Amino acid sequence: LFHLEVPISVARAALFGDSVVAADGPIRVEVVSLAKRDLKAGETLDGIGGFCAYGVCENAWVSKPERLLPIGLADGCVLTRDVAKDQAITLDDVTFPDGRLIDRLRAEQDAVFEVPKR
C-alpha cells in the first residue's frame, strides 16, 4: 500500500532520523523493460509510464547475464533493432543518450557490486 507507506516513511525519517529503505548489498531483483507493442529500430523509448515499454520484476542473477535493460534507464534510449511485443529489451538493443548522470551512477554501482548468485 504505497500511498500509506510514503507518509510513514517521511515521518520516520524526519522524526527519528532512521532509514526505512536502505541497500544492504547487491541488487537482488531488478525491474526490466519489455515492449508494450511491436517496436521498430530507430524508435526512442519513453521510459516509466510511457507507451513503449513496461516493467517486470526479474531476479538479478537472470537480468545481469542476459543484459536486460532496467526500466529506469530506458527513457531516451534509441532502439538499434526491432523488438516484438512482450519481448525483453536488452542493453544490446539500444544506444544510450550521451552524458546522462544515471548511466554513470549505474556503471559505478555495477562496478562495486558483484552479480548475485542464484
Side-chain angles (χ1 to χ4, degrees):
L1 299 173
F2 179 75
H3 61 284
L4 296 175
E5 293 295 328
V6 171
I8 292 168
S9 298
V10 170
R12 284 183 59 176
L15 297 173
F16 306 115
D18 68 340
S19 160
V20 293
V21 179
D24 65 350
I27 293 173
R28 292 179 179 88
V29 174
E30 187 145 48
V31 180
V32 298
S33 304
L34 275 67
K36 279 188 175 179
R37 57 181 171 77
D38 290 339
L39 300 172
K40 299 294 181 195
E43 283 191 63
T44 300
L45 300 178
D46 50 6
I48 297 171
F51 295 97
C52 295
Y54 63 95
V56 296
C57 290
E58 181 59 83
N59 290 309
W61 54 266
V62 172
S63 65
K64 292 288 187 184
E66 292 186 14
R67 299 181 46 80
L68 302 179
L69 177 66
I71 193 74
L73 301 181
D75 192 17
C77 289
V78 178
L79 288 170
T80 58
R81 71 172 187 92
D82 294 350
V83 179
K85 180 181 180 182
D86 297 323
Q87 182 178 348
I89 303 169
T90 70
L91 297 171
D92 301 318
D93 295 333
V94 299
T95 56
F96 290 88
D98 291 330
R100 295 192 313 181
L101 175 60
I102 187 107
D103 299 326
R104 291 193 308 271
L105 292 172
R106 180 55 190 249
E108 184 177 325
Q109 174 181 292
D110 289 345
V112 171
F113 295 110
E114 294 182 19
V115 174
K117 305 286 188 261
R118 180 176 183 180

